[in-house]
Amino acid sequence: MSETGQFVRNAWYVAAWSKEVGRALLPRTLLGQNLVLYRKQDGTPVALTDRCPHKLAPLSRGELIGDLVQCGYHGMQYDGAGRCVHVPGQPPIPPAARVQSYPLVEKYNLLWIWMGDVALADPARILDITHYGRPGWGLVDGQYLHIRTNYLNLTDNLVDPAHTSYVHKRTIGNAGGADVPVELEHNDTRVSAFRWVEDSEPVPIMRTFGNFTGNVDRWQYYHLLLPTNSYVDFGAISAGGPRDEAGKDSGFRSFTFSLLTPETAASTHYFWLHLRNYAIGAAEVDADIARLYQLTFEEDRDILEAIQIEQDKTGVIEFVRLAIDRAPQRARMLIQRMIDSEHPAPKVSAG
Ligand code: FES
Ligand SMILES: [Fe+2]
């Protein structure tokens, strides 16, 4: 299978944090394709194939002249739509002198890119982060890891609460309630693994920030929004309290979003942000959260990079299947179904 054939293309993926893209040419590989990102003078973000159609020089090695990208080899210039507007030394512009441009939308401090069928690029399909920007919710964002593993090893991991007690011993490992079985729900757009630990003592962070006087019912929901965005909804309410959304919002609650974009078949961009309804405005809590989750995701990174090396050696992803693999298996099946439904692959010119 070609590398790009391994990815769902008709989806919005995070290309970058907003802050990463400015008036410099930023090379970035997404879904196996080399792109160059920049902003026009009015701030509009642009994504182009990072390859000059003349001698294939990466455009990111050139420079920005106003809103135009000038190739660093012989100076051909391209606008933000990928049209060549200037060829040094000759007036006519060859018809093939153009590069592919990709739709970008800026939302949640992120730049979202669409690399599939342009006719389907509806911004309404961008992931909804319901609590983003709401009063009473604190945000930690701008976080990133580069992970040398196939994105499906990460989607496995993000609907797999069972690894937490082992991989995350030094970080979030005991917040879980490891002995309580995980339930699974899924439909065509999401896979969710979750558990409730009922009438139990609040874990330390809840004791510190949750204002609980007695026992709590606490939850963990691991949602994978297909193909590659996920969030963990973690929190507690007073034991026996209402479990609807408003009830949960009035308890102790946080959301950790992990937004994955395949870089190549063997590497993944991992963008993450965190929302919480406690300790709002407390800079030291922001810093603690940033540190804790960065360490936590580095623990995932370390094991998933080691797993990738073994997968490359053996050519398989597992020799034994366990009951805990139900959610990851379901996710892989649904993602493969999405990929299959896109065949024949949408027409994207070589740019
Ligand atoms: S390679 Fe870009 S102008 Fe020649
Ligand atoms: Fe993990």
Side-chain angles (χ1 to χ4, degrees):
M1 194 189 306
S2 76
E3 183 166 272
T4 49
Q6 299 180 26
F7 311 121
V8 175
R9 301 190 64 86
N10 288 328
W12 290 100
Y13 289 98
V14 174
W17 285 103
S18 292
K19 66 182 180 184
E20 294 182 274
V21 179
R23 296 285 298 153
L25 296 171
L26 175 70
R28 180 148 293 173
T29 301
L30 304 172
L31 309 192
Q33 287 178 243
N34 294 344
L35 307 182
V36 56
L37 307 174
Y38 68 95
R39 285 182 196 272
K40 298 204 270 193
Q41 292 167 108
D42 68 0
T44 309
V46 175
L48 301 176
T49 295
D50 191 13
R51 188 192 306 126
C52 179
H54 178 219
K55 297 286 184 188
L56 314 191
L59 292 172
S60 56
R61 300 174 76 108
E63 61 185 300
L64 265 181
I65 309 286
D67 286 348
L68 305 175
V69 183
Q70 176 173 282
C71 180
Y73 200 5
H74 312 97
M76 288 171 74
Q77 293 181 344
Y78 302 89
D79 69 10
R83 285 182 297 255
C84 180
V85 294
H86 176 65
V87 181
Q90 67 172 66
I93 291 173
R98 57 173 304 126
V99 295
Q100 179 80 28
S101 76
Y102 298 88
L104 281 176
V105 172
E106 196 151 18
K107 193 172 183 187
Y108 309 128
N109 277 339
L110 291 159
L111 291 172
W112 299 81
I113 193 166
W114 183 273
M115 296 178 69
D117 183 348
V118 177
L120 303 176
D122 177 2
R125 288 172 63 171
I126 291 175
L127 165 77
D128 175 41
I129 304 183
T130 310
H131 295 76
Y132 193 98
R134 272 199 195 169
W137 288 81
L139 172 69
V140 172
D141 73 352
Q143 310 288 323
Y144 172 84
L145 287 93
H146 180 261
I147 304 192
R148 287 188 300 273
T149 203
N150 180 274
Y151 71 100
L152 294 171
N153 291 326
L154 277 157
T155 56
D156 280 358
N157 179 270
L158 289 164
V159 286
D160 168 22
H163 78 275
T164 305
S165 308
Y166 304 97
V167 173
H168 302 306
K169 271 196 207 107
R170 287 182 299 278
T171 50
I172 58 166
N174 47 19
D179 295 335
V180 178
V182 171
E183 297 179 61
L184 171 63
E185 278 176 6
H186 60 86
N187 59 30
D188 286 346
T189 61
R190 72 165 64 208
V191 174
S192 304
F194 63 96
R195 64 181 156 208
W196 281 85
V197 181
E198 301 190 322
D199 199 10
S200 62
E201 285 194 12
V203 297
I205 190 169
M206 296 169 177
R207 220 174 295 141
T208 308
F209 295 113
N211 300 322
F212 295 112
T213 51
N215 278 0
V216 297
D217 295 336
R218 68 176 199 263
W219 68 86
Q220 290 165 287
Y221 280 80
Y222 297 72
H223 298 287
L224 177 64
L225 310 174
L226 297 163
T228 60
N229 294 317
S230 95
Y231 66 98
V232 177
D233 173 4
F234 173 64
I237 48 174
S238 294
R243 293 186 179 188
D244 57 3
E245 286 302 302
K248 287 194 270 190
D249 281 352
S250 69
F252 169 99
R253 193 173 198 187
S254 69
F255 296 96
T256 313
F257 281 83
S258 296
L259 311 171
L260 311 178
T261 307
E263 181 188 49
T264 67
S267 58
T268 305
H269 300 288
Y270 192 121
F271 302 87
W272 68 269
L273 62 91
H274 184 275
L275 286 158
R276 68 179 192 276
N277 69 353
Y278 57 87
I280 310 305
E284 70 284 2
V285 176
D286 290 348
D288 283 349
I289 286 171
R291 202 165 36 239
L292 173 69
Y293 281 92
Q294 191 74 18
L295 284 174
T296 301
F297 297 141
E298 284 173 6
E299 290 171 336
D300 290 311
R301 178 196 62 196
D302 290 350
I303 195 145
L304 295 177
E305 289 189 344
I307 282 171
Q308 182 68 47
I309 290 167
E310 295 305 314
Q311 290 177 341
D312 289 344
K313 274 188 204 155
T314 58
V316 300
I317 56 165
E318 66 195 3
F319 287 112
V320 173
R321 187 166 298 171
L322 305 180
I324 55 171
D325 300 326
R326 279 195 315 142
Q329 267 315 118
R330 177 63 55 177
R332 281 182 184 258
M333 199 201 87
L334 291 167
I335 292 169
Q336 189 57 51
R337 193 183 286 172
M338 292 171 87
I339 293 171
D340 292 344
S341 76
E342 291 183 1
H343 285 282
K347 286 245 179 300
V348 176
S349 77

